[in-house]
Amino acid sequence: MRNPVTPAESGRGPAWDSAAVPTRDLSVGRFSTKSPEDSGRRVKPTKDPSLHRVWILSTLLAGVAVSMGFAAARQPAAAHPPFHVAWWAFVPAVMAAEGLMFHVERKAQTHSFNLSEIPLVVGFFFASPWGLIAGRLVGHLAYRVFVRRQAVVKATFNLACFAAESAAAIFVFRVIGASSNPLSARSWAAILVAVTVGDFISMASVSAVIRWTGGDPDISSVLVTGILTAGVNTGLSIVTVIVLWTSPWALVIVSLLIISFAVIYRRHLALKQRHSSLQRIYGFSQLIGASLKARAVTEEVLAEARKLLRAAVAEIVLLDDRSGKCSYRLSSREGSLSDDHSEALVPKLEGEPVWRRVVDEQIPVAIPRGSRDPGHLSYLARVRVADCMVAPLVSEGKVVGTIMVADRMSNVTTFDDSDLQIFATVANHASVAFENGRLVDQLRKEAADRQHEALHDSLTGLPNRMLFAQRLSDLAASARSEGEGVASVMLIDLDRFKEVNDTLGHHNGDILLQHVARRLGTALRSCDTVARLGGDEFAILLPEQGDAEEVVRVAQRIVELLHEPFQLEGLAVAVGASIGVAMFPEHGDDATVLLQRADVAMYEAKGGDTRVVMYSPERDENSRARLTMATELRQAIAEDQLEVFYQPKARVRDGLITGAEALVRWRHPERGLLSPAEFINVSEQTGLITPLTMFVLKTALKKCHEWNAAGRDIGISVNLAVRSLLDLELPNQIESILHEIGIPSHRLTLEITESSVMADPPRTISVLDRLARAGIKLSVDDFGTGYSSLSYLRRLPVNEVKIDRSFILRVASDPSDAAIVRSIIELSHNLGLGTVAEGVEDRVSWDRLREMGCDEVQGYFLARPLTAENMSAWLDTFNDDAVLPPLRLLPDPQRAGKSPDEATALIRGGKAG
């Protein structure tokens, strides 16, 4: 008898094998005597419309059996048999035939058949209709109740179907093969038709019930299997009847042959299934080994595990690294994949015995359907499946999760030990593949992080110079290939960022840069790129921007945006910005050129009155000249192209020459004599200020030593740049030069500006203290032009104050300037400091300063800056042994005893210092 079983079924046999009490199992369309939530407890039947149809069909089948039984009894029997078989003899024969079941699983369906037709056909010839029906029903009922333990509704349907099938087959056989013996062809045809009719009734009834209960039987597959097995069983039945008809003892030999066939067939199926499993495992390992992404590996593992073990559900549960609890679940069902992170959706399995066995002992577990183990039932209820297998996922000797397959897609088999061995192998492969995928993902993430770090600023998270240049290059390449496209590059430099760093510390400077980055990001479009190039320098790339006027307007809005104060440690800090702009392709067609030209424009903005400057070639030529000058200046220092000029200083009250200020000049081979204003900034920016300062010091001190040796009691003054004053090694270097030349330290006066002191007050004051302790005099140059010197003047170890020439020029004509000069002189004297007025150009100013009490003067009225040779000659015009009256101070050619040409030769050589 054939028994087509689909995933909607959960039993087996010749009739409907999935009826149960009306409790719906969680598997699709399946009925069972228990729900997983019951954990084995009896449940109260619920009303289900399909069960009413089953009862009605069972009643109809019982009626067909009764009517067909009476009809068959009225038909003539076959030829007289050599012996008669009692009804009770069919009971063990039917039970044995029912138990000798063969199952062929194909995809989601299991096709089952047994040898129950053999007792039926034997009864055609050796038993009465009612005896045959009674024997088959009792044997069938005993098998279903005592062996299969089916529920009432299910057993009732199967019994009614079995009775109808038997009665109809007996009736058809007696109608066609009346009075025939088993050796005739007529009997064979009658047997085949009768068996086919009985099978048709059984298949039609089972198919109807399956549809009513939500299943979808494969009718074509059922018919093919039915036709094949009907032919085979009919042939075996005819052979059995012929043997009994000829010699009953020959049945022993036939029985042995049938049993041997059954054993061989089952062993063949087992070997075939094992071979198929090995092939599937091999394919499984190849498939999951081809993927390197952890997520893809996980999905493929679940999908292949379902196929390999014919399960409706496959699931992976991952454990939290710290707590060891379930933290993530990924479930795979036919056509769907879902993952859960929330505590409400991830099952709490830690207290289950099965879970502890899998996780703690690392032992895979199989839980078959029908298990009576309380731990198994509890676990099935927790995961809401009918049967399952669970195995650990191990990484580096530690369980990191579990893999489960559940709901075997067969109603006649469930998970057993052989399946568990295959599943354990699958789990091992899955562990390796999952770990490989995780490691590859980790490597990919680390590589992506490294790439991100290489292309982004670590402080602000903005693109760095490399990524900015790459995007600019890509944009330029795209525009060139398409033949059109406009873009602009902005270079932004914060104006007072150094003050923030020096005053509030580098930590707050970093916070300020982060605020600036966020503010820039909110002010631009999503297609624009904001980058930090380094320090306080930012860059912006604006693709598809309009004309130059529109770009300048955008830049001005950014300047206004950055001018708004930032909050740092409760303080409102305003920094401002300078922006240089370069346009693509007008100002360049590659990233390097555009950035360089935006940089030129930015420095122009930083040194001018406007905060936004568009690049122009004229400014670039000046920048190139400055760049060339840096190289030439280095060569000039090495080749002695620099020369030191000297401008005398005199005491106001009597005109006594007290010293000279050393002023460096550069005799450029092409551009002529250059003043410090033309190359000092370049020297500071290129780091040449230190060798330049050392050159001036050595040259001036050597000349001062010569004058002192010649009997002239004068000192020398040298200007210090900001960068030199920040050099902590400066005092040691100067002391070394003084010692080398052999000149007293009090002969040297170092002139510093207010701005140089304010660059880094703690550091500069420390350097000044060390210079003062060495006996070197200190002078504050350009006093009165700064904004903070008065607050530091008392703290500075200075000896004198030089009043800026801007106040001295109008000291005799402007009462305001005169008041300022008088105040500076009085303040300095109150602090014990001397005063020097620079820029004195006439006798009236000299006399006015003498009245105010100024100590020394310097300027054109006394002398212009002179070369070393001319300075020595100029000193010779004065009487070394007498105090010079003020009227003789002006180097008049007639009073000096020199001709006009000789006097002009003496004073040639540059501008006032």
Side-chain angles (χ1 to χ4, degrees):
M1 180 67 65
R2 279 70 57 201
N3 178 28
V5 184
T6 69
E9 302 171 62
S10 61
R12 58 185 172 182
W16 175 48
D17 218 11
S18 61
V21 294
T23 305
R24 186 168 295 277
D25 186 280
L26 292 176
S27 300
V28 179
R30 180 185 298 141
F31 284 81
S32 66
T33 57
K34 297 182 290 294
S35 172
E37 292 86 347
D38 289 329
S39 300
R41 294 180 288 107
R42 296 288 295 177
V43 296
K44 182 179 179 180
T46 57
K47 294 182 178 181
D48 191 323
S50 62
L51 293 183
H52 295 291
R53 299 178 183 178
V54 173
W55 282 110
I56 293 172
L57 180 59
S58 299
T59 304
L60 292 175
L61 290 173
V64 169
V66 172
S67 60
M68 285 293 180
F70 282 111
R74 289 195 294 267
Q75 295 296 325
H80 297 288
F83 58 89
H84 184 78
V85 179
W87 70 270
W88 52 266
F90 288 98
V91 174
V94 170
M95 294 182 67
E98 289 280 347
L100 196 61
M101 185 74 68
F102 301 94
H103 308 295
V104 179
E105 296 185 1
R106 182 175 179 269
K107 295 183 180 180
Q109 291 189 335
T110 301
H111 304 285
S112 304
F113 64 92
N114 55 32
L115 303 178
S116 60
E117 284 89 348
I118 295 178
L120 176 64
V121 173
V122 170
F124 288 166
F125 294 94
F126 298 100
S128 63
W130 288 113
L132 176 58
I133 293 173
R136 292 200 76 201
L137 288 181
V138 173
H140 182 74
L141 182 62
Y143 179 77
R144 295 292 167 176
V145 172
F146 297 108
V147 179
R148 295 292 301 277
R149 300 181 179 179
Q150 290 183 340
V152 175
V153 63
K154 188 173 183 180
T156 302
F157 167 79
N158 285 330
L159 198 63
C161 185
F162 205 71
E165 172 193 342
S166 302
I170 296 172
F171 173 75
V172 170
F173 174 77
R174 289 204 168 193
V175 169
I176 299 175
S179 302
S180 61
N181 60 58
L183 301 178
S184 64
R186 180 180 177 184
S187 293
W188 298 351
I191 292 171
L192 180 60
V193 173
V195 170
T196 302
V197 170
D199 287 349
F200 176 78
I201 293 174
S202 175
M203 288 187 294
S205 300
V206 170
S207 298
V209 172
I210 291 174
R211 288 190 181 277
W212 293 342
T213 54
D216 185 18
D218 187 351
I219 301 300
S220 60
S221 180
V222 168
L223 289 176
V224 171
T225 304
I227 292 173
L228 292 176
T229 54
V232 173
N233 283 352
T234 299
L236 291 175
S237 300
I238 293 174
V239 171
T240 302
V241 170
I242 292 174
V243 170
L244 286 174
W245 194 277
T246 305
S247 172
W249 291 107
L251 182 62
V252 176
I253 299 175
V254 174
S255 300
L256 291 176
L257 290 175
I258 293 175
I259 293 173
S260 300
F261 167 78
V263 171
I264 293 172
Y265 178 76
R266 287 193 172 187
R267 292 183 67 85
H268 169 73
L269 285 181
L271 290 174
K272 184 178 179 181
Q273 288 179 352
R274 184 173 298 179
H275 177 71
S276 176
S277 297
L278 290 175
Q279 285 185 320
R280 290 177 180 177
I281 290 176
Y282 177 71
F284 172 81
S285 61
Q286 282 190 316
L287 182 63
I288 64 174
S291 180
L292 294 178
K293 292 185 177 180
R295 173 76 181 196
V297 168
T298 306
E299 294 177 4
E300 290 177 357
V301 163
L302 293 177
E304 290 304 309
R306 282 195 304 104
K307 295 178 182 178
L308 183 62
L309 295 158
R310 301 189 303 279
V313 179
E315 179 177 286
I316 282 180
V317 174
L318 298 182
L319 306 183
D320 184 80
D321 291 338
R322 297 181 179 179
S323 64
K325 296 183 178 180
C326 306
S327 61
Y328 174 76
R329 179 177 68 172
L330 183 65
S331 299
S332 173
R333 296 177 182 269
E334 188 68 34
S336 67
L337 188 72
S338 62
D339 53 352
D340 301 323
H341 290 271
S342 65
E343 294 183 358
L345 296 176
V346 178
K348 303 300 181 183
L349 303 170
E350 292 80 7
E352 296 293 332
V354 171
W355 178 264
R356 291 198 300 269
R357 181 174 175 81
V358 173
V359 174
D360 297 341
E361 302 177 25
Q362 299 186 17
I363 298 176
V365 175
I367 306 178
R369 279 197 301 267
S371 174
R372 295 293 185 264
D373 187 296
H376 288 181
L377 296 176
S378 176
Y379 190 85
L380 293 176
R382 180 73 68 180
V383 297
R384 303 170 68 85
V385 295
D387 56 357
C388 69
M389 290 189 295
V390 189
L393 293 174
V394 181
S395 175
E396 298 180 354
K398 178 183 177 183
V399 176
V400 296
T402 63
I403 181 172
M404 178 185 76
V405 291
D407 288 341
R408 184 66 172 265
M409 297 176 66
S410 171
N411 59 343
V412 296
T413 61
T414 186
F415 299 117
D416 54 23
D417 291 340
S418 61
D419 293 320
L420 187 61
Q421 292 179 356
I422 296 174
F423 184 59
T425 305
V426 169
N428 290 335
H429 281 293
S431 296
V432 175
F434 187 72
E435 178 66 12
N436 289 342
R438 188 185 66 81
L439 290 176
V440 171
D441 278 356
Q442 182 178 348
L443 291 175
R444 283 175 172 161
K445 182 179 183 301
E446 290 178 358
D449 291 343
R450 295 290 181 273
Q451 184 179 18
H452 185 274
E453 292 173 2
L455 298 176
H456 290 79
D457 174 52
S458 60
L459 178 64
T460 63
L462 295 177
N464 60 12
R465 183 183 294 272
M466 184 183 299
L467 181 55
F468 185 85
Q470 178 181 321
R471 291 184 179 178
L472 181 55
S473 299
D474 293 344
L475 182 64
S478 176
R480 284 194 296 268
S481 64
E482 296 175 2
E484 58 182 8
V486 179
S488 58
V489 174
M490 295 183 186
L491 216 58
I492 305 173
D493 188 81
L494 303 183
D495 289 340
R496 289 179 290 279
F497 176 72
K498 188 177 185 304
E499 296 178 24
V500 175
N501 259 349
D502 295 340
T503 306
L504 300 179
H506 290 280
H507 171 68
N508 283 291
D510 291 344
I511 295 176
L512 174 61
L513 293 175
Q514 292 172 341
H515 287 329
V516 170
R518 284 192 290 268
R519 190 173 290 185
L520 289 175
T522 59
L524 300 172
R525 304 169 300 177
S526 59
C527 63
D528 300 333
T529 296
V530 182
R532 182 189 175 208
L533 304 187
D536 60 343
E537 194 173 65
F538 294 82
I540 297 177
L541 174 61
L542 303 175
E544 301 179 1
Q545 193 63 44
D547 55 18
E549 293 182 0
E550 182 180 350
V551 173
V552 170
R553 285 195 296 270
V554 173
Q556 289 172 342
R557 287 198 299 270
I558 293 175
V559 168
E560 295 172 0
L561 184 69
L562 295 180
H563 187 70
E564 298 177 6
F566 296 88
Q567 294 295 323
L568 296 175
E569 290 190 348
L571 300 177
V573 178
V575 290
S578 302
I579 300 180
V581 182
M583 301 288 294
F584 171 87
E586 179 181 351
H587 298 146
D589 59 355
D590 65 69
T592 303
V593 172
L594 285 169
L595 280 172
Q596 184 267 329
R597 292 180 174 175
D599 187 65
V600 170
M602 185 269 291
Y603 275 104
E604 184 74 19
K606 205 165 185 65
D609 297 330
T610 177
R611 297 293 88 191
V612 178
V613 172
M614 180 71 69
Y615 168 81
S616 68
E618 293 79 12
R619 300 189 188 96
D620 198 7
E621 289 301 322
N622 295 333
S623 299
R624 291 178 183 272
R626 287 196 298 271
L627 184 61
T628 303
M629 181 179 289
T631 304
E632 293 176 344
L633 180 59
R634 189 182 303 276
Q635 184 177 359
I637 296 173
E639 297 179 358
D640 294 330
Q641 295 179 10
L642 300 178
E643 186 175 353
V644 178
F645 281 54
Y646 303 90
Q647 187 172 27
K649 294 193 298 182
R651 200 159 54 197
V652 176
R653 70 173 183 269
D654 55 13
L656 179 67
I657 304 302
T658 58
E661 180 180 358
L663 302 168
V664 66
R665 300 289 189 268
W666 180 5
R667 293 193 180 277
H668 196 280
E670 297 177 358
R671 300 172 61 184
L673 189 65
L674 302 179
S675 68
E678 298 180 76
F679 60 86
I680 287 296
N681 288 338
V682 173
S683 68
E684 288 191 277
Q685 294 172 1
T686 57
L688 294 174
I689 189 63
T690 298
L692 180 62
T693 302
M694 295 300 107
F695 167 81
V696 174
L697 277 168
K698 288 181 180 180
T699 303
L701 287 172
K702 286 180 180 178
K703 182 55 63 176
C704 181
H705 184 265
E706 292 177 7
W707 292 332
N708 289 169
R712 302 186 183 281
D713 187 17
I714 61 176
I716 199 73
S717 298
V718 177
N719 289 282
L720 284 184
V722 177
R723 191 176 296 273
S724 296
L725 197 56
L726 294 173
D727 186 359
L728 296 178
E729 291 298 317
L730 179 68
N732 296 333
Q733 294 173 345
I734 294 178
E735 287 187 72
S736 177
I737 293 174
L738 290 170
H739 179 73
E740 176 186 345
I741 296 174
I743 188 170
S745 59
H746 69 271
R747 295 292 186 186
L748 174 62
T749 300
L750 297 176
E751 297 185 3
I752 60 176
T753 62
E754 299 174 78
S755 59
S756 66
V757 176
M758 293 305 300
D760 189 345
R763 189 168 184 169
T764 55
I765 291 175
S766 173
V767 172
L768 293 175
D769 286 337
R770 292 171 58 192
L771 291 171
R773 287 195 298 269
I776 299 170
K777 295 180 181 180
L778 300 173
S779 175
V780 179
D781 196 10
D782 300 333
F783 189 84
T785 60
Y787 54 90
S788 302
S789 60
L790 292 178
S791 63
Y792 284 93
L793 194 57
R794 293 184 60 184
R795 296 174 52 190
L796 297 177
V798 297
N799 303 93
E800 67 180 23
V801 172
K802 292 188 73 172
I803 306 172
D804 189 70
R805 61 182 289 115
S806 62
F807 301 108
I808 302 302
L809 290 175
R810 295 182 298 274
V811 70
S813 59
D814 190 332
S816 298
D817 285 354
I820 292 174
V821 172
R822 184 184 301 276
S823 299
I824 293 174
I825 293 173
E826 293 177 355
L827 172 65
S828 300
H829 288 168
N830 290 335
L831 294 175
L833 306 177
T835 56
V836 178
E838 59 179 347
V840 178
E841 298 186 355
D842 53 50
R843 178 61 181 269
V844 177
S845 299
W846 181 290
D847 293 338
R848 188 77 174 119
L849 290 168
R850 185 178 57 188
E851 294 173 1
M852 293 180 179
C854 184
D855 299 307
E856 296 179 344
V857 295
Q858 177 182 342
Y860 286 1
F861 179 67
L862 186 62
R864 291 175 179 271
L866 305 170
T867 63
E869 179 183 354
N870 290 343
M871 178 67 183
S872 299
W874 185 87
L875 290 173
D876 291 339
T877 62
F878 294 94
N879 186 344
D880 298 332
D881 300 327
V883 175
L884 301 177
L887 292 177
R888 291 195 59 198
L889 290 176
L890 183 66
D892 188 289
Q894 303 299 330
R895 291 194 179 100
K898 305 290 183 182
S899 67
D901 291 340
E902 290 175 329
T904 301
L906 286 175
I907 64 175
R908 73 179 186 274
K911 301 176 182 179

